[in-house]
Amino acid sequence: GRASWTTGVAVSGIDGAPTVQVSTPKSSGGGDDPGGMFEYGGCPINMYVDGVPTSLDLYDSVSIRPSKSRGGADRITILYPATNFTVDVDVRISKGSFGCFLDVHVS
């Protein structure tokens, strides 16, 4: 069988809330473009809010902040306060040769 690895996610807000995109170009030994807008959890990260480059920040209608999972993984938490919709994006590095990937949880 083949494993599936997520390297990007887009979260679309409702009622005018912005769309947040997070991706990793898989470096850290996994090839592809080693660059990113910033590094988080040992991986390059590209992040956009409504198509505009951004970093971990707080906006009027969405909060994007660093956190940690229960297992200790570096996590980016995207929260839309108006609806309490939360997406947790754990930034991980594979044990093999794939490189960086994202483990996404919705609540």
Side-chain angles (χ1 to χ4, degrees):
R2 294 179 54 103
S4 175
W5 301 89
T6 300
T7 58
V9 63
V11 183
S12 181
I14 59 170
D15 295 332
T19 296
V20 178
Q21 296 168 271
V22 180
S23 65
T24 179
K26 292 194 326 185
S27 67
S28 192
D32 288 354
D33 179 9
M37 293 165 52
F38 61 94
E39 184 175 301
Y40 187 71
C43 293
I45 298 293
N46 293 315
M47 187 177 307
Y48 301 88
V49 173
D50 281 343
V52 177
T54 190
S55 60
L56 300 172
D57 209 345
L58 178 64
Y59 296 85
D60 289 339
S61 54
V62 64
S63 166
I64 306 168
R65 61 184 172 83
S67 60
K68 291 275 189 187
S69 71
R70 288 185 203 167
D74 290 300
R75 173 176 280 179
I76 297 169
T77 297
I78 302 165
L79 168 66
Y80 291 91
T83 58
N84 209 31
F85 178 67
T86 303
V87 177
D88 291 319
V89 181
D90 295 348
V91 178
R92 300 185 180 272
I93 302 173
S94 74
K95 293 184 172 110
S97 62
F98 184 80
C100 298
F101 67 98
L102 306 174
D103 189 7
V104 182
H105 309 273
V106 178
S107 60

